[in-house]
Amino acid sequence: MADISSIERRKLERLFRMGSGYVLDFSDRSFSEFFEEHTRRDIDAAVYRERGTSKANRLRGFWAVEGNHLVGKVIQALILYGQAEDCLPDEPGLTDLTKDCWNLGERMLRDTPVAELDSLTATADERDFETVAQHVREAIEKNQPEAALDRLHTFVIKYLRTVCAHRGVEINRDKALHSIFGEYVKRLRDAGLLESLMTERILKSSIS
């Protein structure tokens, strides 16, 4: 759940014109496309509709479900959209209201714990990582931890094979994973990339 106070929530609802169930000038289709583009989430999913099916209620549901990092990102993206489309509310104090909401988004992005899934960065193929992260999240939300672990395991294996290939380790379907990783550690050692014997031991034990 995002860390938003009741006062901050009221400011966001004013800025995004949520009082009548709408959000800015979005249609249902453009609202879904916006969230797909900026979050890779399906804003029409049941998890966001528990408060109701209107766009405003789905956005409130999003705030209730997602963490600070992603909510902060969406807040700032909505502000930029509203400014670009000239659909922010025409009311006194708009500049101050917009600034307060932008700063809220900034604070939420800054306070995100490193361990939060949305803050992780893929070091192989980023789109592959985003896809597996979405599948893992969906499996967890459906109370299917085995499926989540299976998807994460698949990605880790793929990543490991990628970094091994980069070091010139021969990979084929008949070679066991521990054998591949053992050769990878040896290549790192021979290249002088391991700082200590303990590092080598930890790497070897991680795949045994």
Side-chain angles (χ1 to χ4, degrees), residues 23 39 50 53 68 77 79 95 100 135 143 151 190 196:
V23 176
T39 70
E50 292 188 3
T53 59
N68 281 352
I79 292 172
T95 300
D100 287 347
H135 284 304
N143 196 28
R151 288 173 173 83
D190 293 345
S196 67

Side-chain angles (χ1 to χ4, degrees), residues 20-32:
S20 58
Y22 293 93
V23 176
L24 299 176
D25 67 348
F26 285 106
S27 65
D28 283 333
R29 179 177 178 178
S30 62
F31 196 56
S32 297

Side-chain angles (χ1 to χ4, degrees), residues 146-170:
E146 297 88 354
L149 286 172
D150 179 68
R151 288 173 173 83
L152 187 58
H153 176 265
T154 299
F155 175 78
V156 171
I157 296 302
K158 179 179 179 180
Y159 172 73
L160 179 58
R161 291 183 181 276
T162 299
V163 296
C164 285
H166 178 69
R167 288 290 167 186
V169 177
E170 182 182 353

